[in-house]
Amino acid sequence: MTRAATILFGLMVLLRSLSGQAAALKIDFTQTGGPVEAGFQPYYADHESAPTFTEQFYSAFGSTVVVMPIWPNNPAPQAMQMIERSSGSALAIDWIGTDARVGNADPLVLAIDGLPAGRYAWISYHHDMQDQTGLFDVTVTDATGSVTTRDVDISNGTVAFADMTIFETVIESDGASLITLSFENQGYTNVSGAFFVMNGFILEALDSEDDDPTPQDDP
């Protein structure tokens, strides 16, 4: 192999590697400087500190993806939770969330901008070590419209990673419009059910061959 061919081959391998790394965005919500799950990137903010819940930027899918939590009903800062528990895995120990005891706290909207056009698999994790959570509804608004899933129950205590509550869906981007996931606590009556929590999420690009899994007959 000539030197030029060797260099070209090396560049192709590098580009494939970078493309594979960009095929998923993994975010762990954590207090500033807190633990981050291996393989995830942090979204950092400080507990009940509105100025720290900012737009944060990530390189993924060959683009710059922007992630920002929004409390559209303008509650007091006490609604804006970024909790770190005393024990647990890096993903499970901390979470972003909402304290429903505060007026106008619901919903917490996660806005995502900058996704290239295409379809993406979404998985988010919802777990609190101390079980101060209620059911929640989530409304996903993307290029196809809005769909609501109701009464997702959040896991608690000491559980294996595989046993944490997950919310799964497919998100479609048109490459221009903002995508939002609106989370709303349901059935709050006392402190044991007052919080919506989200530990982190994975957003993964779907291959074109995954877009239509139903076999088609030859014409």
Side-chain angles (χ1 to χ4, degrees), residues 50 52 57 61 71 75 90 96 104 107 123 151 157 159 164 174-175 199 207:
T52 68
F57 301 84
F61 317 114
W71 285 263
I96 191 174
N104 300 317
I123 299 177
D151 296 333
V159 300
M164 293 174 64
D174 61 12
N199 310 84
D207 295 331

Side-chain angles (χ1 to χ4, degrees), residues 174-194:
D174 61 12
S177 304
L178 191 70
I179 290 168
T180 61
L181 296 96
S182 179
F183 301 94
E184 186 163 359
N185 187 299
Q186 295 297 319
Y188 158 64
T189 56
N190 54 56
V191 69
S192 65

